[in-house]
Amino acid sequence: MKLYEQDSCGVGFVCNINGRADNDIVRWGVEAVKNLTHRGAIGGDGKTGDGAGVLTQIPRKFFKRIIDQLGYSLSSLDNLAVGVFFLYEDIEDKIVAEFVKEGIKVLGWRDVPIDTDAVGETALKVMPKIKHLLLDMEGIPEEQRDVKLYLLRRKIENKFGDSKVYIPSLSTREIVYKGMLVAPQLDRFYPDLTEEDYESAYCLFHQRYSTNTLPNWRLAQPLRLSAHNGEINTIQGNRNWMIALQNELEHEVLGDKKELIKPLVSYDESDSASLDKVFELLCLVGFSPEHAINMLIPPAWEHVPELSEEVKAFFEYQSLLMKPWDGPAAIAFVYKDKIGAHLDRNGLRPARYVLTEDGILVLGSEVGMIDLGERKIKEKGRLGPGDTIVVDLKEGSVKKTGEVLEELASRKPYREWIEKNLLRLSHLTEGKALGFPKDDPERIRKQIAFGWTQEEIKNVLQYMAETGKEPTFSMGDDTPLPPLSEKPKLLFRYFKQRFAQVTNPPIDPIRERLVMSLKMNLGHKRNFLKETPEHAKRLQIDSPILLDYQLKAIEEQTEFKVCRIPICYPKERSYNIVELQDMAGERRISELIMDALYEEIPINDLMMGIETLQRRVEEAVREGAQIIILSDRYINKHRVAIPSLLAVSACVKHLAKQGLSTRVSFIVETGEARDTHQIACLIGYGASAVYPYLAYETIKELCDSGKLDIHY
């Protein structure tokens, strides 16, 4: 498909802040998304687009007419629920059977009127059948309806799969009209949107510009509760943690059906779809939408003096629950009687708004999206970095960032919970001398074993020690790719930094210090669907790169059980009792001998070493360890080190399979890592902190020899 690149997604909403539903809101929303067409992409056929759509309240007056025309009997308009289905196979009867099993009255199917002339040839080839399923929720308490429909949707999704069905919306309140369209064709393709009795108090709209996924009917936005402009740069890490954390997730509203939420996210969907799924779940279990969005995409808060201590405590507590979904983002969201928008901490996406005196609020990627006629403007402005705006349709109020954050911070005693439970490494090391590790007579042997070169020491390590900066080079790299090289390479060389696929400027950690943080939290990562004092029981470090005295302080503290496990395995079958004692660590020597006598795999096999390591790590976690130090310090002529990146990733993956990965954090004590890329790889694959002991020992040797003029 030939795409004419223009700009990033267009997103926004139109609403009546007093909650009054009328057709003008829908008409304006469709007009706005049409005027954002240039923010999408158009296929070579001139009609196929990345996707466009709107999310509105269910137009009850409209559906009352439809239901009467179809001859269905509805107990009350308040009991109406509508499901929008993209069907790729004829499974309507099977889907209805699932609703009947759950005691939900099914009125019947409605074929959604569409005009296929409005669809491009490419999109038409993959277009699903688009149907509405009309439901009567009579007899189901109102407070249970959201959860019941959500769990039923997840059951259908898991049972039939994306290849057979996709459900854009299934709700008693919201309905989605979207497709693989160009925005100007939206209301032509869906004539429903032109009906005069189609009324809503809000219309959330989106024109998609896909970057990380190809255009798809399913991935058009709005999603179930949100529409997103931007991309999540940390998406792979966030998805990995969501998959790991889903084993911890439970909430009383989910009852005994919590297994239905798995998998919480998918690696095959867009980053926006994954974000929407987590946002939806948070709202469903009781988080307000403004709370959920600030938890997922927090603003800069650590170095912002204007924020109160209570607000800072709120965000620090949220950081203990979940990693931020960082990236350039402008997101519009809706849940129940609230609609709003939020900007990422860098403010790299536009979001401007206009509020009229008669209560019409228009927010979007650009100004002038719709013609408001002679209406008088009461207020206009834009969202800045990390800002939130929320409209409460029931109260008729508009709340901005300051009011929103103060209200969120006052809901629970976050500051008290943190002061009582959060252990800070900076407090443990207060007043302690920096110092260097002791001289190691095996240092040169270890440097050779870990592939150190004089060039690295002189051009990389020495430069970083002198300047405190990462070295950068303008020359190209003509060395062979690691898989094609005749010489052995460190495992780190097989990995490259994965950049965002749109034109985001690189982050400058010095000039943009305000929006950056290196803090990490160690210990048990608990169920993020609840907020309790126990969630604050973590060990906080200011940087993932540890110094000697910091590692010692972590090992000496008694709040969290620490276990040190070598990532070395024997080179030969025979060894003396001293070597056995060194290898055993906290294990019994008899157990280690049994490992050595294991006959199915030779003792010098790397796979044997990894399996033994995984078993020891699992045992340590089951015995209560919350911090595990994986160390290759014990390498010598009798013991071979598992590559540190392979060791930590194998342990994380093994614990994830056992449902244990959230209970522990890993510190990697390694002689391999000596530059930023290598340390970033270790953190990216599961380490919470790295202690590069051999790099420190090498720096000390450079100082002692006079090659570095640094006093310690």
Side-chain angles (χ1 to χ4, degrees):
M1 181 189 295
K2 184 179 180 182
L3 298 178
Y4 299 98
E5 298 183 359
Q6 299 291 332
D7 206 340
S8 53
C9 306
V11 65
F13 64 83
V14 184
C15 75
N16 185 313
I17 66 171
N18 299 306
R20 281 198 302 271
D22 62 48
N23 180 254
D24 284 342
I25 296 295
V26 179
R27 181 171 54 82
W28 283 331
V30 173
E31 180 186 345
V33 74
K34 286 182 178 181
N35 288 330
L36 293 176
T37 302
H38 60 282
R39 285 185 165 267
I42 302 175
D45 56 19
K47 290 183 178 179
T48 299
D50 280 352
V54 293
L55 183 158
T56 71
Q57 290 176 318
I58 292 176
R60 298 190 184 277
K61 187 187 297 186
F62 168 79
F63 273 104
K64 173 66 167 62
R65 175 167 59 85
I66 296 299
I67 289 169
D68 290 342
Q69 290 175 356
L70 294 172
Y72 298 147
S73 177
L74 177 66
S75 61
S76 166
L77 271 178
D78 292 334
N79 292 330
L80 175 66
V82 181
V84 181
F85 285 76
F86 287 176
L87 297 168
Y88 298 90
E89 290 189 13
D90 297 328
I91 56 172
E92 289 92 326
D93 292 341
K94 294 178 181 178
I95 291 173
V96 168
E98 297 297 333
F99 284 89
V100 173
K101 286 179 188 176
E102 296 297 325
I104 296 177
K105 181 181 177 182
V106 177
L107 300 181
W109 291 97
R110 174 193 182 228
D111 292 321
V112 179
I114 57 173
D115 181 356
T116 55
D117 288 339
V119 181
E121 183 179 331
T122 305
L124 195 59
K125 289 179 181 178
V126 292
M127 185 180 75
K129 288 190 297 183
I130 304 173
K131 288 194 171 189
H132 287 161
L133 184 60
L134 306 176
L135 308 169
D136 190 335
M137 304 297 286
E138 184 182 20
I140 301 172
E142 190 172 345
E143 64 274 9
Q144 296 178 15
R145 293 177 180 180
D146 285 343
V147 178
K148 200 167 188 69
L149 290 175
Y150 169 79
L151 292 174
L152 191 49
R153 192 193 83 215
R154 293 309 307 259
K155 182 180 180 182
I156 292 170
E157 290 170 340
N158 292 338
K159 184 172 184 176
F160 298 107
D162 286 343
S163 62
K164 295 182 180 180
V165 60
Y166 172 75
I167 308 174
S169 63
L170 176 60
S171 172
T172 59
R173 286 184 304 272
E174 301 96 21
I175 187 168
V176 171
Y177 284 81
K178 69 177 184 178
M180 196 169 157
L181 309 164
V182 182
Q185 308 297 336
L186 182 61
D187 58 346
R188 182 183 167 199
F189 180 73
Y190 287 118
D192 283 358
L193 297 173
T194 64
E195 298 290 340
E196 291 185 3
D197 56 355
Y198 192 118
E199 298 177 345
S200 175
Y202 60 76
C203 182
L204 190 151
F205 52 82
H206 189 273
Q207 164 65 68
R208 187 167 187 246
Y209 176 74
S210 61
T211 52
N212 298 317
T213 54
L214 292 173
N216 187 296
W217 282 85
R218 293 184 295 108
L219 298 181
Q221 296 187 44
L223 300 158
R224 274 90 186 212
L225 294 179
S226 66
H228 173 225
N229 170 22
E231 65 177 354
I232 308 301
N233 291 339
T234 57
I235 188 61
Q236 187 169 341
N238 286 90
R239 283 174 177 159
N240 290 342
W241 279 116
M242 285 298 111
I243 296 297
L245 283 167
Q246 69 186 12
N247 296 308
E248 294 267 341
L249 299 183
E250 59 180 22
H251 199 281
E252 50 270 19
V253 304
L254 301 175
D256 59 355
K257 296 184 178 181
K258 65 178 184 178
E259 291 299 313
L260 289 176
I261 71 173
K262 299 177 182 179
L264 182 53
V265 295
S266 167
Y267 293 95
D268 298 326
E269 63 198 8
S270 65
D271 49 6
S272 302
S274 292
L275 177 68
D276 182 78
K277 283 182 177 179
V278 183
F279 176 76
E280 179 186 29
L281 182 58
L282 288 169
C283 291
L284 194 76
V285 299
F287 287 80
S288 67
E290 60 267 33
H291 185 164
I293 203 64
N294 275 283
M295 178 178 172
L296 287 163
I297 309 176
W301 57 272
E302 290 177 288
H303 310 295
V304 181
E306 295 83 8
L307 294 180
S308 68
E309 292 302 315
E310 285 68 26
V311 170
K312 289 185 177 181
F314 166 77
F315 281 115
E316 184 164 30
Y317 181 85
Q318 304 307 310
S319 72
L320 301 171
L321 300 184
M322 183 183 293
K323 293 178 181 291
W325 292 61
D326 275 332
I331 185 165
F333 56 85
V334 63
Y335 186 66
K336 291 187 176 179
D337 296 312
K338 291 183 177 180
I339 187 167
H342 179 75
L343 217 58
D344 72 286
R345 67 177 66 193
N346 290 286
L348 295 177
R349 291 293 181 269
R352 300 173 176 86
Y353 66 89
V354 171
L355 175 63
T356 67
E357 288 189 352
D358 60 345
I360 303 300
L361 179 67
V362 183
L363 181 143
S365 302
E366 298 181 8
V367 293
M369 295 177 296
I370 62 176
D371 182 5
L372 292 171
E374 299 300 321
R375 284 177 168 80
K376 292 184 178 181
I377 305 300
K378 179 181 178 180
E379 180 185 346
K380 60 182 178 180
R382 63 182 292 273
L383 299 188
D387 278 350
T388 307
I389 187 171
V390 179
V391 180
D392 190 317
L393 302 173
K394 186 174 286 187
E395 295 181 357
S397 63
V398 180
K399 296 179 180 178
K400 311 284 182 53
T401 306
E403 185 178 359
V404 169
L405 296 185
E406 290 295 340
E407 186 177 301
L408 291 175
S410 66
R411 290 181 179 177
K412 291 183 180 177
Y414 299 109
R415 191 176 181 183
E416 178 184 336
W417 289 352
I418 287 175
E419 289 175 351
K420 287 184 178 180
N421 295 288
L422 184 63
L423 182 62
R424 302 181 194 272
L425 181 59
S426 57
H427 293 171
L428 293 177
T429 57
E430 196 170 0
K432 293 190 177 181
L434 177 60
F436 268 95
K438 296 179 181 178
D439 287 330
D440 185 354
E442 296 284 317
R443 185 183 66 251
I444 295 178
R445 185 187 296 272
K446 288 179 179 178
Q447 287 174 332
I448 295 171
F450 290 128
W452 284 66
T453 65
Q454 288 293 337
E455 183 182 35
E456 276 184 307
I457 295 173
K458 180 179 179 181
N459 296 334
V460 178
L461 191 68
Q462 184 171 331
Y463 176 85
M464 288 193 292
E466 286 176 336
T467 66
K469 298 177 182 178
E470 179 183 9
T472 55
F473 302 90
S474 60
M475 297 297 291
D477 184 359
D478 60 356
T479 57
L481 293 171
L484 304 178
S485 177
E486 295 179 353
K487 297 182 178 180
K489 302 289 183 181
L490 291 177
L491 191 57
F492 303 110
R493 286 291 305 276
Y494 288 78
F495 298 85
K496 294 289 185 182
Q497 184 176 351
R498 191 172 185 176
F499 287 95
Q501 295 181 4
V502 291
T503 55
N504 302 324
I507 295 296
D508 184 332
I510 299 173
R511 294 169 183 82
E512 299 186 69
R513 178 175 175 270
L514 183 69
V515 297
M516 297 193 69
S517 173
L518 294 176
K519 287 184 178 179
M520 302 285 278
N521 299 302
L522 281 59
H524 188 177
K525 295 167 279 292
R526 293 174 172 83
N527 172 20
F528 64 77
L529 298 183
K530 293 185 176 181
E531 294 182 310
T532 69
E534 286 71 30
H535 282 73
K537 289 185 177 179
R538 305 286 294 280
L539 173 59
Q540 186 181 85
I541 58 179
D542 292 328
S543 169
I545 304 176
L546 298 176
L547 296 169
D548 182 68
Y549 75 104
Q550 293 173 322
L551 182 64
K552 288 178 181 177
I554 292 174
E555 291 192 86
E556 291 170 359
Q557 57 79 36
T558 57
E559 293 289 322
F560 301 89
K561 183 177 180 180
V562 179
C563 181
R564 174 180 284 271
I565 298 178
I567 56 172
C568 303
Y569 59 97
K571 185 178 179 181
E572 305 291 345
R573 282 182 179 271
S574 60
Y575 32 74
N576 60 45
I577 191 67
V578 175
E579 291 168 343
L580 279 173
Q581 287 173 336
D582 288 343
M583 290 169 54
E586 294 186 2
R587 295 182 65 200
R588 294 190 300 272
I589 291 177
S590 59
E591 293 177 345
L592 195 69
I593 292 174
M594 291 302 296
D595 288 342
L597 296 176
Y598 188 68
E599 293 294 337
E600 292 184 20
I601 304 175
I603 191 66
N604 62 341
D605 193 336
L606 175 62
M607 182 62 72
M608 177 63 179
I610 293 173
E611 290 178 353
T612 302
L613 172 64
Q614 289 175 326
R615 188 166 66 252
R616 294 183 65 183
V617 166
E618 181 182 344
E619 289 173 359
V621 174
R622 293 191 184 280
E623 291 171 3
Q626 292 193 48
I627 299 172
I628 290 179
I629 300 172
L630 300 176
S631 177
D632 59 24
R633 183 184 287 276
Y634 308 98
I635 185 175
N636 60 27
K637 63 181 179 180
H638 301 294
R639 291 187 288 271
V640 180
I642 301 170
S644 55
L645 185 59
L646 180 60
V648 69
S649 59
C651 291
V652 170
K653 189 171 184 178
H654 176 73
L655 292 181
K657 288 181 179 179
Q658 306 301 318
L660 300 171
S661 57
T662 61
R663 298 188 189 180
V664 69
S665 294
F666 289 100
I667 297 174
V668 178
E669 182 183 52
T670 179
E672 277 189 301
R674 57 261 200 183
D675 66 29
T676 53
H677 169 71
Q678 294 163 357
I679 291 173
C681 283
L682 290 169
I683 295 169
Y685 279 87
S688 294
V690 180
Y691 176 60
Y693 67 89
L694 192 54
Y696 293 145
E697 291 175 10
T698 304
I699 292 172
K700 181 177 183 297
E701 192 276 330
L702 290 172
C703 293
D704 292 342
S705 64
K707 295 178 181 177
L708 263 178
D709 187 18
I710 298 176
H711 301 284
Y712 58 89

